[in-house]
């Protein structure tokens, strides 16, 4: 036993000596004192006062060290003999206590943990592992702070509550969010705990008072309105449900009891308010001002409750009016007339039941919780024959394709369901109109004025009854929607099913995003977060207000001085500046409601989390090329596709240094030289084209994935808004595009409506025959495959053909020189590397589109226009071409092969048939008759701006108006219009 003790002693001594030889970490002072100094500085104390308080803390620690007090307490509690650090003495020997003076700069808990380790015998392994932690454990401290906030919230919510009163939603929010809102509303800091508790409890009582007062008003109104009726009285449906009886007298007694109970609880609430007012805290605003502000706050938060009660009372009055009018109608109805009226009411009821089921299905689509028979499609359509063995890009594309197939099947079935519901409702409507017509014939056959008046009364009664039922359906749908949302939150199965709404595309083997982040990404790139200006602090918002104020004032003064010669020192500017300041303060600094504030903060946190995960896992977030939704893929895969695109096109050359300064100087030098020469460019033209050195910067390139094509290739887009050549490109586009539009009208298609008009003229002239074929083709990579020098030569030829010598005072040679700079000096940055485009033009530059149109003008003049007969239609929309053909298909294919070899850079992809899509219209030759309808590409998602986005309301109205107007213009039959109308309705439901 002694041998073991000696070996333990030697090993411990060696370990202690080894620890002494180690290099000690630098210490920057006691962390507790550092935090204490920080709190003092936040309270704006001077450095002298802070040092006095710190010295007092140090002296207090020296007189009563925390670890010494703990050691004494442990010595009193121990029943076993004291134990030394290194070894244990024999049982028969006297036990001595070793006192160790530890001068620790660590926190109190570290000192306590050190002392505790001395009361247990330790081996060398435990001594080497269990060292006191010197770092602050962030996660543990976050959990502690969160736990403290939750405990504080529970303490503040421990108020005596009425069992018949349910607190409002804003009171169930976190106390921190509620206090932040109250600070702005009351204009008081509310830093002390007793202030917060007093304000919170008083706010709770005012909320209870408001709810009880509304309840009393509702029962009082029911009683007053119902007592004016004759026996038997009719009461609202909620009264029958609450009283659990259909007897009129019992319901009336229930209303009286509920009214008395509400008055009793209201008196108790008033007493609580008076009792609490005696404990008013003097640091708060005066009690009258505080109560007024809190009452305003409660009325603002519970505005929806007042609106709901007013709607209930209005609906109750409408029911009574219906009853009264029906009683009057029943007086002069014959038995046969009564049978017809009952049949009409029965048909209305059946129609309203179908409308209610239809509305419930719509709510299920909005809440992303389809009926159970739709969920079974996920299990029915599974790939049993083949699943990829390796988890690679092939497996990702396989899963995405499987997801899209199931999603498309569900959308098709929803379209079928909608069609069935609409047809059934229409059948009931036709039966209703037929029965009403029979009733009208019975009343009008006797040529009695009173009978005709009674007929109008019956029609009015039936119409009002139908409108009231429809309103009740939409009121019930709000409650039904809440139930669906609550069920979806709790159900894990509902979240795993494939939804019909547009979703982001994840080209990932491992998806790091949670449900909230996926839902936010599903809202798409056009979604705007609600009240983004409410997230920053008041100081940052003040800075934003000042910045925007200066910007607006400067623009207004410059505009009025330049175009209207109004002096910048006019006194009217002072009035305007005050109004502008008030308007900006109102927009930026108005406090939000609790629900809006919680939503703003939640979405802000979700956005921050998405950005963090994109950076952490090295992911790329891009908008897809056709579908308009987000696509997320790995940065490695994205760079591999970019490299493949560059190697395939060979349109870009890598540069060794930053070309920005050289390009900028070259552009400025060219403009100065042209201005110095006579009759080259004018002064105002130079001012418009010269780049601004302060805002000018190098262009950059990004790529959007084409998810509708195999392998997901990329489309390059150049961001050239502030590049050195942008101003020249804009001026050339403004000068030359009108010339092209005026002289190429016959071969240009503006939109789908323009093509339909030309085809109708073609058909009216008798050229559309049963054997007429349609042909469409598009050109691959037109922008990036334009030969630069040849394009400039064609531009010069085009201008010489139509404008002779000058364009807006600039000769054609100068225009060619300016166009050359725009095309050849297209330099940009991509991933900290510099490139220059050597083939084609930048997709994103304004003049590139005009130059591409002029290049195609030359190509079509030399190739296809010579081959087509005169009556045939030919038209082009940028790189998409359409024409008609009345010869054989073999001759047409030979012509297309010839066109494909006409120019090495122009390659075509064509389609031939009697029913073909072009742009967004589907054209069909039905045995010599033209039929048209709206065409939706299979790759395009039914995505529009979500209704929850923070866009102006007229944007949503314009979306619906534009979609319906396009359906009217493109649909040649009423059936085609109905199909597109259903698609529009479903598209709006998919986007909330």
């Amino acid at each position: 036993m002694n041998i073991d003790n000696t070996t333990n002693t030697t090993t411990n001594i060696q370990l202690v000596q080894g620890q002494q030889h180690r290099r000690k970490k630098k210490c920057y002072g006691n962390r507790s004192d550092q935090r204490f100094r920080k709190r003092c500085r936040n309270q704006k104390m001077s450095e002298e006062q802070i040092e006095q308080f710190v010295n007092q803390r140090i002296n207090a620690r020296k007189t009563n060290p925390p670890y010494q007090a703990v050691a004494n307490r442990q010595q009193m509690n121990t029943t076993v003999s004291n134990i030394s650090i290194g070894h244990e003495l024999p049982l028969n020997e006297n036990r001595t206590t070793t006192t160790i003076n530890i001068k620790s700069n660590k926190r109190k808990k570290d000192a306590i943990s050190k002392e505790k380790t001395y009361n247990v015998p330790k081996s060398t392994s435990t001594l080497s592992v269990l060292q006191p932690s010197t770092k602050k454990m962030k996660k543990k401290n976050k959990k502690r702070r969160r736990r403290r906030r939750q405990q504080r919230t529970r303490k503040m919510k421990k108020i005596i509550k009425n069992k018949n009163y349910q607190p409002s939603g804003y009171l169930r929010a976190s106390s921190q969010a509620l206090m932040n809102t109250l600070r702005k509303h009351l204009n008081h800091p509310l830093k002390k705990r007793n202030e917060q508790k007093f304000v919170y409890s008083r706010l709770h009582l005012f909320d209870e008072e408001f709810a009880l007062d509304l309840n009393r008003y509702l029962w009082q109104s029911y009683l007053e309105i119902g007592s004016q009726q004759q026996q038997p009285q009719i009461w609202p449906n909620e009264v029958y449900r609450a009283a659990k009886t259909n007897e009129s007298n019992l319901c009336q007694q229930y209303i009286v009891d509920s009214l008395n109970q509400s008055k009793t609880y209201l008196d108790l609430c008033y007493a609580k308010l008076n009792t609490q007012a005696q404990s008013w805290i003097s640091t708060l605003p005066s009690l009258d001002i505080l109560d007024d502000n809190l009452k305003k706050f409660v009325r603002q938060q519970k505005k929806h409750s007042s609106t709901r009660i007013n709607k209930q009372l209005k609906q109750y009055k409408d029911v009574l009016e219906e009853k009264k009018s029906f009683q009057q109608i029943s007086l002069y109805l014959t038995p046969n007339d009564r049978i017809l009226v009952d049949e009409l009411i029965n048909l209305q009821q059946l129609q309203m039941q179908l409308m209610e089921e239809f509305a419930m299905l719509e709510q299920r689509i909005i809440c992303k919780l389809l009926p159970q028979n739709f969920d079974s499609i996920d299990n029915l359509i599974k790939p049993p024959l083949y699943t990829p063995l390796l988890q690679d890009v092939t497996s990702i594309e396989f899963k995405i394709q499987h997801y899209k197939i199931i999603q498309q099947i569900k959308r098709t079935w929803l379209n079928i369901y909608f069609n069935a519901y609409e047809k059934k409702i229409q059948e009931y409507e036709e039966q209703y109109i037929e029965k009403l017509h029979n009733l009208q014939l019975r009343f009008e056959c006797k040529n009695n004025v009173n009978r005709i008046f009674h007929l109008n009364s019956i029609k009015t009664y039936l119409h009002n009854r139908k409108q009231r039922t429809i309103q009740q359906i939409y009121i019930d749908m709000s409650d039904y929607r809440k139930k669906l949302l609550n069920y979806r939150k709790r159900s894990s199965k509902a979240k795993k099913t494939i939804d019909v709404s547009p979703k982001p595309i994840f080209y990932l083997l491992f998806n790091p995003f949670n449900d909230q982040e996926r839902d936010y990404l599903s809202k798409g790139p056009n979604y705007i977060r609600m009240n983004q200006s409410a997230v920053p602090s008041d100081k940052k918002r003040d800075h934003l207000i000042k910045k925007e104020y200066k910007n607006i004032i400067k623009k207004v003064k410059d505009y009025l001085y330049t175009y209207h010669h109004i002096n910048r020192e006019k006194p009217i500017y002072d009035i305007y500046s005050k109004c502008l300041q008030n308007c900006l303060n109102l927009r930026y600094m108005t406090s939000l409601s609790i629900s809006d504030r919680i939503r703003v903060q939640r979405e802000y946190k979700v956005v921050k989390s998405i950005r963090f995960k994109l950076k952490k896992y090295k992911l790329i977030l891009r908008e897809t090329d056709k579908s308009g939704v987000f696509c997320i893929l790995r940065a490695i895969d994205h760079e591999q596709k970019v490299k493949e695109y560059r190697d395939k096109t060979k349109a870009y050359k890598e540069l060794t240094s930053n070309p920005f300064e050289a390009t900028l100087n070259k552009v400025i030098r060219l403009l100065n030289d042209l201005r110095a020469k006579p009759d080259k460019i004018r002064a105002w033209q130079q001012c418009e084209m010269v780049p601004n050195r302060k805002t000018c910067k190098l262009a950059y390139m990004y790529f959007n994935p084409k998810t509708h094509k195999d392998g997901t290739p990329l489309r390059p887009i150049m961001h050239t808004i502030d590049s050195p050549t942008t101003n020249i490109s804009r001026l050339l586009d403004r000068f030359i595009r009108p010339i092209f539009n005026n002289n190429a009208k016959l071969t240009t298609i503006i939109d789908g409506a323009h093509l339909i008009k030309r085809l109708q003229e073609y058909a009216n002239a008798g050229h559309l025959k049963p054997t007429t074929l349609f042909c469409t083709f598009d050109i691959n990579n037109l922008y990036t495959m334009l030969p630069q020098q040849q394009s400039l030569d064609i531009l010069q030829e085009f201008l010489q053909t139509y404008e002779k010598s000058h364009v807006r005072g600039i000769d054609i040679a100068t225009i060619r020189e300016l166009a050359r700079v725009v095309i050849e000096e297209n330099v940009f940055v991509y991933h900290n590397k510099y490139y220059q485009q050597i083939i084609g033009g930048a997709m994103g530059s304004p003049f590139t589109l005009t130059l591409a149109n002029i290049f195609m003008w030359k190509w079509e003049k030399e190739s296809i226009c010579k081959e087509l007969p005169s009556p045939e239609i030919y038209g082009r929309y940028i790189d998409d071409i359409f024409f008609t053909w009345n010869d054989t298909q073999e001759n047409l294919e030979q012509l297309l092969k010839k066109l494909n070899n006409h120019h090495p850079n122009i390659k075509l992809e064509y389609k031939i048939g009697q029913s073909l899509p072009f742009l967004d219209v589907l054209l069909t030759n039905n045995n010599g008759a033209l039929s048209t309808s709206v065409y939706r590409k299979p790759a395009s998602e039914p995505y529009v701006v979500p209704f929850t986005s923070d866009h102006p309301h007229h944007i949503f109205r314009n979306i619906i108006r534009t979609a319906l107007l396009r359906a009217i213009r493109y649909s040649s039959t009423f059936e085609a219009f109905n199909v597109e109308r259903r698609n529009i309705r479903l598209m709006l439901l998919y986007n909330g």
Side-chain angles (χ1 to χ4, degrees), residues 874-930:
Y874 170 83
R876 180 178 56 83
Y877 181 84
I878 308 175
D879 58 348
D880 293 321
I881 296 172
F882 171 87
F883 64 91
T884 57
W885 185 260
N886 277 309
D887 202 346
T888 62
Q889 185 170 349
E890 290 78 8
N891 294 336
L892 178 56
E893 289 177 353
Q894 289 178 4
L895 173 63
L896 292 171
K897 289 179 181 178
K898 183 179 178 181
L899 294 175
N900 220 354
N901 298 324
H902 183 75
H903 195 282
N905 289 20
I906 304 300
K907 298 300 177 183
L908 315 178
E909 292 182 1
Y910 60 85
K911 294 179 182 178
I912 303 171
Q914 290 192 325
S915 179
L916 287 180
F918 184 76
L919 301 181
D920 56 350
V921 59
L922 180 63
L923 306 166
T924 306
N925 180 8
N926 287 327
N927 200 20
L930 178 67

Side-chain angles (χ1 to χ4, degrees), residues 740-750 754-755 758 761 802 857 860 865 868 870 872-877 882-883:
F740 175 82
N741 293 338
N742 291 331
N743 295 284
K745 291 179 181 178
L746 298 177
T747 59
T748 302
I749 296 174
I750 300 173
H754 180 236
L755 177 60
R758 290 184 61 180
E761 294 173 355
Y802 294 108
W857 163 82
E860 64 194 13
C865 291
L868 285 178
S870 58
E872 302 299 339
I873 290 179
Y874 170 83
R876 180 178 56 83
Y877 181 84
F882 171 87
F883 64 91

Side-chain angles (χ1 to χ4, degrees), residues 583-814:
C583 181
L584 292 174
N585 286 330
L586 183 67
R587 294 294 180 187
Y588 278 89
M589 306 302 289
T590 302
S591 59
L592 301 176
S593 62
I594 295 293
S595 58
D596 290 344
R597 189 174 185 84
I598 291 172
R599 178 186 164 189
V600 168
Q601 292 176 348
R602 186 188 301 122
E603 289 187 346
Y604 180 63
K605 289 179 180 178
V606 170
V607 171
K608 286 179 66 178
S609 176
I610 291 172
R611 289 174 179 169
F612 172 75
K613 288 182 178 179
L614 290 173
K615 186 176 180 181
K616 178 181 178 181
Y617 297 103
K618 297 180 181 179
L619 304 177
I620 300 286
L621 178 67
R622 290 289 182 267
E623 181 182 353
T624 54
D625 183 49
K626 297 291 184 184
S627 56
V629 297
F630 279 127
C631 177
I632 299 174
L633 64 164
R634 296 190 307 165
I636 300 173
D637 298 336
H638 182 267
E639 290 306 312
Q640 182 65 29
K641 294 178 184 295
V642 171
K643 186 177 182 301
E644 291 175 1
Y645 173 79
R646 283 202 298 262
D647 295 341
K648 178 183 176 182
T649 59
K650 297 180 180 179
Y652 308 101
K653 180 179 70 173
E654 187 175 350
L655 304 177
T656 56
S657 61
N658 190 347
F660 175 70
E661 288 294 335
T663 306
L664 181 63
N665 294 330
K666 190 180 295 184
V667 170
I668 294 174
R669 193 182 308 114
L670 173 65
L671 293 174
N672 291 335
D673 293 343
L674 292 174
R675 179 60 187 143
K677 296 177 182 178
D679 299 331
K680 288 293 182 181
I681 59 173
R682 298 170 185 174
W684 65 272
Q685 293 170 346
Q686 182 190 12
C687 291
E688 285 195 17
M689 289 188 288
V690 69
N692 187 357
R693 284 188 174 272
K694 293 182 179 179
T695 59
C696 187
K697 56 187 177 183
L698 198 63
Y700 65 89
M701 176 181 277
Y702 63 95
F703 295 85
N704 285 344
K706 300 179 183 179
T707 54
H708 59 284
K709 293 189 177 181
D710 296 334
T712 316
L714 301 178
R715 180 186 294 277
I717 298 176
M718 198 82 69
H719 186 275
T720 60
I721 292 178
D722 296 321
S723 67
T725 60
T726 299
N727 292 337
I728 301 176
S729 178
R730 287 173 182 162
L731 188 79
L732 292 176
D733 181 66
R734 197 167 79 238
F735 284 178
I736 299 174
R737 183 177 290 190
I739 302 172
F740 175 82
N741 293 338
N742 291 331
N743 295 284
K745 291 179 181 178
L746 298 177
T747 59
T748 302
I749 296 174
I750 300 173
D751 54 13
H754 180 236
L755 177 60
I756 292 172
K757 183 180 178 181
R758 290 184 61 180
L759 280 172
Q760 286 173 348
E761 294 173 355
Y762 177 81
N764 294 334
H767 301 303
L768 185 63
K769 302 173 183 178
T771 58
T772 301
L773 296 174
F774 297 149
C775 180
T776 63
F777 60 86
D778 63 330
I779 300 165
N780 295 331
N781 299 325
L782 174 62
Y783 291 97
T784 55
M785 299 308 294
L786 286 176
Q788 293 181 348
Q789 292 301 323
Q790 188 178 359
S791 300
L792 295 175
D793 295 338
I794 294 173
L795 171 65
Q796 187 171 354
E797 179 186 348
F798 174 81
L799 294 176
Q800 288 172 353
T801 304
Y802 294 108
E803 287 296 316
K804 305 305 179 187
S805 59
H806 286 76
V807 178
R808 300 282 188 95
I810 305 177
D811 58 13
I812 295 175
T814 304

Side-chain angles (χ1 to χ4, degrees), residues 526-579:
N526 295 333
Y527 178 75
I528 297 177
R529 284 191 292 115
M530 181 181 178
N531 291 307
Q532 295 187 30
S533 60
V535 177
S537 62
D538 292 344
K539 187 176 180 180
K540 290 183 179 179
R541 279 187 277 176
D542 286 334
H543 179 69
L544 289 173
I545 290 172
K546 291 177 182 178
K547 184 178 180 181
E548 193 165 351
Y549 170 78
K550 290 180 181 178
N551 190 19
I552 294 173
I553 287 289
K554 183 179 181 302
K555 287 183 178 179
V556 169
K557 287 184 177 181
D558 291 344
Y559 175 80
L560 293 176
Y561 180 78
T562 305
Y563 295 99
H564 299 281
H565 307 289
I566 297 176
N567 191 7
R568 290 186 173 89
E569 304 299 330
K570 285 277 187 180
I572 194 171
Y573 284 120
D574 297 334
I575 302 172
Y576 173 74
S577 62
K578 290 180 182 178
C579 295

Side-chain angles (χ1 to χ4, degrees), residues 80-115:
V80 188
S81 57
N82 294 328
I83 301 169
S84 63
I85 297 177
H87 61 279
E88 184 178 353
L89 294 175
L91 291 174
N92 55 359
E93 294 185 14
N94 294 328
R95 303 180 185 274
T96 58
T97 309
T98 57
T99 304
I100 302 172
N101 296 324
I102 305 172
K103 294 183 180 180
S104 175
N105 290 328
K106 307 302 178 189
R107 297 175 65 180
K108 185 185 293 185
K109 65 177 184 180
D110 294 336
I112 294 173
S113 63
K114 282 182 181 181
E115 186 61 31

Side-chain angles (χ1 to χ4, degrees), residues 156-416:
M156 292 180 66
K157 291 183 179 180
K158 283 183 180 179
I159 299 172
I160 299 173
K161 299 172 185 175
N162 180 7
K163 292 182 180 180
N164 295 331
Y165 158 72
Q166 185 178 4
S168 302
Y170 71 94
L171 289 175
R172 294 195 294 270
S174 65
S175 61
Q176 186 178 4
L178 181 61
M179 285 302 151
N180 289 334
T181 308
L182 286 173
R183 286 186 185 100
K184 294 181 180 179
H185 189 81
L186 301 176
N187 197 15
H188 192 274
L190 293 178
K191 288 186 177 180
K192 298 180 180 179
R193 292 283 174 82
N194 56 352
E195 292 179 353
Q196 294 180 6
K197 288 182 180 179
F198 179 83
V199 170
Y200 183 84
S201 58
R202 197 151 187 85
L203 178 67
H204 204 291
L205 289 174
F206 279 129
D207 183 82
E208 184 178 355
E209 178 201 358
F210 187 85
L212 292 172
D213 193 39
L214 277 180
N215 204 15
R216 178 199 59 77
Y217 170 72
L218 180 64
W219 295 121
Q220 184 71 38
S221 302
Y222 280 161
L223 189 62
E224 290 176 357
I225 296 170
S227 59
Q228 297 174 3
Q229 306 175 55
Q230 298 178 356
Q231 294 292 338
Q233 296 169 332
I234 295 178
W235 303 104
N237 293 330
E238 53 265 23
V239 175
Y240 289 125
R241 286 195 296 267
K244 298 180 181 179
T245 181
N246 291 330
E247 295 185 11
S248 175
N249 295 330
L250 294 177
C251 288
Q252 185 175 4
Q253 185 60 39
Y254 178 80
I255 291 174
V256 172
D257 295 341
S258 300
L259 179 61
N260 294 331
Q261 191 178 17
S262 298
K263 290 180 179 178
T264 303
Y265 284 127
L266 196 59
D267 293 337
L268 288 173
C269 187
Y270 288 146
K272 289 179 186 177
L273 284 168
N274 293 330
T275 304
Q276 194 202 22
Q278 298 175 2
S279 60
W280 172 73
I281 301 171
S282 59
T283 55
L284 289 170
S286 63
L287 194 62
D288 295 337
I289 296 174
L290 182 65
D291 289 352
D292 289 341
N293 290 329
L294 290 177
K295 287 179 181 178
K296 288 179 183 177
F297 182 77
V298 170
R299 282 196 295 271
Q300 179 186 357
Q301 301 295 329
K302 304 213 40 145
K303 193 186 298 181
H304 62 281
S305 300
S306 305
T307 307
R308 188 184 70 248
I309 286 177
N310 291 330
K311 285 182 179 179
Q312 289 178 359
L313 293 174
K314 183 179 180 301
Q315 192 175 12
Y316 181 40
K317 292 177 183 178
D318 293 340
V319 171
L320 296 180
E321 287 293 328
E322 284 182 17
K323 177 196 172 187
K324 186 177 179 182
S325 61
F326 185 73
Q327 289 175 351
Q328 293 174 356
I329 290 169
S330 301
L331 297 174
Y332 48 79
L333 286 178
T334 63
N336 292 331
D337 296 340
R338 191 183 296 277
I339 292 171
L340 282 174
V341 172
D342 290 341
E343 289 178 354
L344 287 170
I345 293 174
N346 187 29
L347 282 173
Q348 256 191 9
Q349 258 179 340
L350 293 174
Q351 190 182 22
M352 292 301 106
Q353 287 176 4
L354 273 177
M355 288 185 67
E356 186 174 7
E357 292 178 8
F358 194 19
M360 291 169 70
L361 179 60
E362 289 180 340
Q363 292 300 322
R364 281 185 169 272
I365 295 172
I366 293 172
C367 298
K368 303 176 182 178
L369 191 66
L370 296 178
Q372 291 183 356
N373 52 358
F374 281 85
D375 296 340
S376 61
I377 297 175
D378 298 359
N379 300 323
L380 287 175
I381 306 174
K382 280 191 174 181
L385 299 176
Y386 168 74
T387 51
L389 296 176
L390 297 176
Q391 295 294 321
D392 55 0
V393 178
T394 306
S395 65
I396 295 173
E397 292 181 351
F398 189 80
K399 290 177 183 177
I400 292 172
Q401 188 178 6
H402 173 242
Y403 184 94
K404 287 184 177 180
I405 290 171
I406 296 177
Q407 193 179 49
Q408 190 59 40
I409 290 172
K410 288 186 177 182
R411 288 173 182 171
T412 305
W413 272 107
L414 281 174
N415 205 326
I416 294 171

Side-chain angles (χ1 to χ4, degrees), residues 420-481:
Y421 272 114
E422 288 178 355
K423 284 185 176 179
K424 195 66 178 175
I425 291 171
Q426 186 63 29
E427 288 176 4
Y428 280 125
E429 185 68 25
E430 291 172 358
Q431 294 177 21
Y432 176 82
I433 292 172
E434 185 181 354
K435 296 283 184 184
L436 187 62
H437 182 67
N438 294 335
L439 181 67
Q440 188 172 354
L441 290 176
R442 286 181 58 84
F443 273 75
E444 291 178 352
C445 65
K446 298 181 180 181
N447 293 325
N448 189 345
V449 178
N450 291 331
R451 295 275 292 177
I452 295 173
F453 175 76
H454 296 331
L455 176 64
N456 294 331
S457 301
I458 293 171
K459 288 181 178 180
T460 304
Y461 164 74
L462 292 173
H463 176 74
N464 292 338
R465 187 177 184 277
K466 183 177 181 179
Q467 294 299 319
R468 182 188 60 80
T469 310
I470 291 172
Q471 290 178 3
Q472 183 61 38
I473 287 172
Y474 285 111
I475 290 171
D476 294 341
M477 285 305 106
S478 62
D479 297 333
Y480 182 69
R481 185 177 181 178

